[in-house]
Amino acid sequence: MAQPISLAQSTDKTELFLLPALANRHGLITGATGTGKTVTLQKLAESFSAIGVPVFLADVKGDLTGIANAGSVTPKMKERLTMLAVDTPKFIGCPVTLWDVFGIGGHPVRATISDLGPLLLGRLLNLNDTQEGVLQLVFKIADDNGLLLLDSKDLRAMLQYVGENAAQYQTEYGNISSASIGAIQRGLLAIEEQGGDQFFGEPMLNIDDLMQTTDGKGLVNILMADKLMSSPKLYSTFLLWMLSELFEHLPEVGDLDKPKLVFFFDEAHLLFNEAPKSLLEKIEQVVRLIRSKGVGVYFVTQNPLDIPDTVLGQLGNRVQHALRAFTPRDQKAVKSAAETMRANPKFSTEAAITELGVGEALVSLLDEKGRPNIVERAFILPPASQIGPIGQDERKALIDNSIVAGVYEKILDRESAYEKLKGKAVGGANQAQTPANVPEEERSMADKMKDSLGGLFGGGSSAPAPTARGRVSQRDSVVESMAKSAARAVGSQLGREIIRGVLGSILGGSGSRRR
């Protein structure tokens, strides 16, 4: 069994432990700005790493990279150690890989348009229900005609083609208005102007690269998100896509002695802001089901009211830093936070929330039977890694020496929808709906798979044809990469249909019925 994680010490000197076997029951870290949430996140992340659990977290303020270096005793830490009467931690850093959607502060991280899917893309482009329904149809037409949607120019070319040929698709697919096509194109242009188009393309992130260990320590993957935060919807969409990838990629494992990965979702309110009900339902479903795949999800936000009740009810491990009751909403948040914790007869939870100092928190963790412990007023223990960011030279050294150095830096631009539509017309709506580049024996395999599994997804007639999701790197030659992508187009069809069903696809989303 993995060693329990010592997280905090209560005011009566009781040490509070997070049990690794119950860490996949998810968690919540809340509190006002400046109350210590970031240090709590760092303490948890390095503790998971120490027991061999990989971690993914977003550094929204640019001050978490210090986790790569050993810490040292600062005056504030010395004061805290003396007050708690605990030993100085054994200072040590963690293995770290830096990632950056823009490829500046870390390794580039990308997803294909097809893999992102119409529901997440619709949210990113700020589409209404009608426009999202048209986007669903564009994806379906691309799938039926074997046109790969890999990057933004593929989607732009596909939108133009469908808009120009809307009349011939109307009978089979439904009405496709030029106004909706125009709205999608404008949304895509806005994302491109913000630099978000760098997120779309290949080589796509391989989830396995996040789940590495070094000398028995879990890899801490840090997404450099200080620039990404200027595009909140891109930030939240990216992290939700990451969750969906983990859900699709990982097998069912049941209850383990420790998680396979812990995922920290900082600034979690951005995930739920203005999200349609259909998306909220699917987020709740992913959070509920991903536990069985060995993944723990920890939301970090200022206010517990930022998290919908359906999700909040699944977060068993909680650290509540101070809240300030200056407004009616703040007062409601304090009351809500207090009521969701198991009361301690020694003090008023509601009153304590407004009295907590920096680095102090109300802590309620699950016991060995999965029950919430009585809430304790406690001080978070100091991390063993450096508090604060590392320098530019150290950051460059981390990037140059990481296990994925050189894998994602070179963009792969293979033949896809843009090249095919530019070369010649797709053909009429009655054209054979099978990718032209897939050999006959693979097409037969795909058909057999669809026939045998179609009932699971509501019948084969509505299921999209295989789409591109090949993961490639410098470790693969161009020929090998294309061969793998072709194989995945058939072999991982089931996985794509499952995840599109979970996150709002042609199969599972309500948009599939809109015309």
Side-chain angles (χ1 to χ4, degrees):
M1 296 292 290
Q3 183 178 355
I5 293 173
S6 178
L7 177 62
Q9 181 175 288
S10 69
T11 52
D12 62 1
K13 306 300 182 182
T14 300
E15 201 165 358
L16 305 180
F17 293 94
L18 173 64
L19 302 179
L22 295 166
N24 67 336
R25 299 312 199 265
H26 311 316
L28 178 68
I29 304 171
T30 53
T33 300
T35 56
K37 297 191 303 296
T38 299
V39 174
T40 299
L41 189 160
Q42 182 170 337
K43 173 65 177 175
L44 277 171
E46 70 173 26
S47 299
F48 281 120
S49 174
I51 62 173
V53 177
V55 170
F56 182 90
L57 57 88
D59 189 0
V60 299
K61 293 181 288 188
D63 55 5
L64 280 170
T65 50
I67 200 171
N69 290 349
S72 61
V73 177
T74 63
K76 285 186 177 180
M77 183 181 292
K78 185 176 181 180
E79 181 182 344
R80 178 60 57 89
L81 293 172
T82 302
M83 180 187 69
L84 297 178
V86 296
D87 295 333
T88 302
K90 182 180 178 182
F91 294 114
I92 191 169
C94 304
V96 169
T97 296
L98 303 179
W99 303 91
D100 186 358
V101 168
F102 303 103
I104 299 173
H107 302 291
V109 54
R110 305 182 189 89
T112 65
I113 290 285
S114 177
D115 196 81
L116 197 65
L119 182 62
L120 289 182
L121 190 60
R123 181 172 190 262
L124 179 59
L125 300 180
N126 199 29
L127 305 181
N128 62 31
D129 288 351
T130 301
Q131 294 157 359
E132 184 189 311
V134 171
L135 183 62
Q136 293 264 9
L137 296 180
V138 171
F139 270 72
K140 182 71 166 76
I141 293 169
D143 287 347
D144 288 349
N145 288 278
L147 296 171
L148 308 183
L149 300 179
L150 304 181
D151 52 29
S152 59
K153 71 178 187 300
D154 288 328
L155 180 58
R156 185 171 294 283
M158 194 68 206
L159 288 167
Q160 181 179 349
Y161 170 79
V162 171
E164 292 173 349
N165 297 274
Q168 67 172 304
Y169 290 114
Q170 183 169 346
T171 301
E172 182 175 357
Y173 296 96
N175 185 50
I176 301 173
S177 72
S178 58
S180 293
I181 292 291
I184 300 170
Q185 290 173 324
R186 289 191 297 273
L188 185 59
L189 178 61
I191 291 297
E192 291 172 341
E193 289 177 344
Q194 297 173 29
D197 58 322
Q198 298 177 58
F199 174 50
F200 305 128
E202 294 181 312
M204 197 175 87
L205 176 67
N206 187 340
I207 293 298
D208 289 334
D209 286 336
L210 304 178
M211 306 180 68
Q212 305 293 325
T213 57
T214 302
D215 298 327
K217 290 186 176 183
L219 182 67
V220 178
N221 299 275
I222 300 178
L223 175 69
M224 305 306 296
D226 45 349
K227 180 181 178 183
L228 185 61
M229 283 299 295
S230 63
S231 303
K233 283 197 173 178
L234 179 59
Y235 169 79
S236 59
T237 301
F238 167 76
L239 290 186
L240 184 53
W241 169 77
M242 287 281 298
L243 273 181
S244 71
E245 278 294 287
L246 289 167
F247 183 85
E248 174 191 2
H249 180 79
L250 298 176
E252 296 276 346
V253 293
D255 292 326
L256 304 173
D257 64 343
K258 61 184 179 182
K260 298 181 70 174
L261 179 79
V262 171
F263 188 102
F264 289 94
F265 203 131
D266 203 355
E267 300 293 340
H269 66 282
L270 296 175
L271 174 60
F272 304 104
N273 279 356
E274 301 177 2
K277 183 179 179 181
S278 58
L279 180 59
L280 290 177
E281 290 173 350
K282 290 172 176 62
I283 294 171
E284 185 270 335
Q285 185 180 4
V286 169
V287 172
R288 175 166 49 86
L289 297 176
I290 204 169
R291 177 183 70 81
S292 65
K293 303 203 171 191
V295 176
V297 181
Y298 287 69
F299 294 96
V300 184
T301 189
Q302 292 190 25
N303 195 319
L305 295 180
D306 295 335
I307 310 296
D309 290 344
T310 54
V311 176
L312 194 63
Q314 300 182 53
L315 311 181
N317 299 295
R318 300 195 181 186
V319 179
Q320 175 65 65
H321 288 277
L323 290 173
R324 310 305 178 201
F326 297 136
T327 68
R329 186 176 188 271
D330 293 338
Q331 294 167 4
K332 183 179 178 181
V334 170
K335 185 176 181 179
S336 175
E339 290 176 346
T340 56
M341 290 184 169
R342 188 177 171 188
N344 189 327
K346 296 179 182 178
F347 60 86
S348 166
T349 304
E350 186 173 342
I353 290 175
T354 62
E355 301 169 354
L356 298 170
V358 177
E360 192 178 7
L362 297 180
V363 180
S364 177
L365 306 172
L366 298 176
D367 65 16
E368 64 278 359
K369 293 185 179 181
R371 303 170 300 191
N373 277 308
I374 291 174
V375 63
E376 297 284 355
R377 186 166 178 169
F379 293 94
I380 303 300
L381 296 174
S385 54
Q386 174 184 316
I387 298 176
I390 60 177
Q392 289 294 333
D393 291 341
E394 292 175 297
R395 185 179 298 185
K396 185 177 184 302
L398 278 179
I399 296 172
D400 292 342
N401 298 318
S402 85
I403 59 175
V404 293
V407 172
Y408 295 98
E409 276 67 19
K410 187 176 181 180
I411 297 175
L412 176 67
D413 188 14
R414 58 194 175 101
E415 185 180 60
S416 49
Y418 173 80
E419 288 78 14
K420 287 190 175 183
L421 292 174
K422 187 178 179 181
K424 64 176 184 177
V426 175
N430 294 324
Q431 183 179 350
Q433 298 180 358
T434 306
N437 292 334
V438 179
E440 181 61 34
E441 58 271 20
E442 291 186 0
R443 289 201 297 269
S444 299
M445 188 186 304
D447 291 339
K448 290 176 181 178
M449 183 183 297
K450 185 182 295 185
D451 291 341
S452 61
L453 297 171
L456 183 61
F457 304 104
S461 61
S462 62
T467 56
R469 290 195 57 245
R471 295 185 177 93
V472 295
S473 70
Q474 280 191 349
R475 292 170 289 192
D476 303 324
S477 69
V478 175
V479 174
E480 289 171 334
S481 298
M482 295 184 70
K484 290 179 180 179
S485 296
R488 286 181 62 85
V490 175
S492 65
Q493 177 183 343
L494 174 60
R496 282 193 310 280
E497 291 181 348
I498 290 174
I499 198 60
R500 280 193 172 185
V502 170
L503 289 179
S505 71
I506 297 165
L507 290 171
S510 58
S512 63
R513 295 183 293 274
R514 302 186 193 106
R515 290 292 184 265

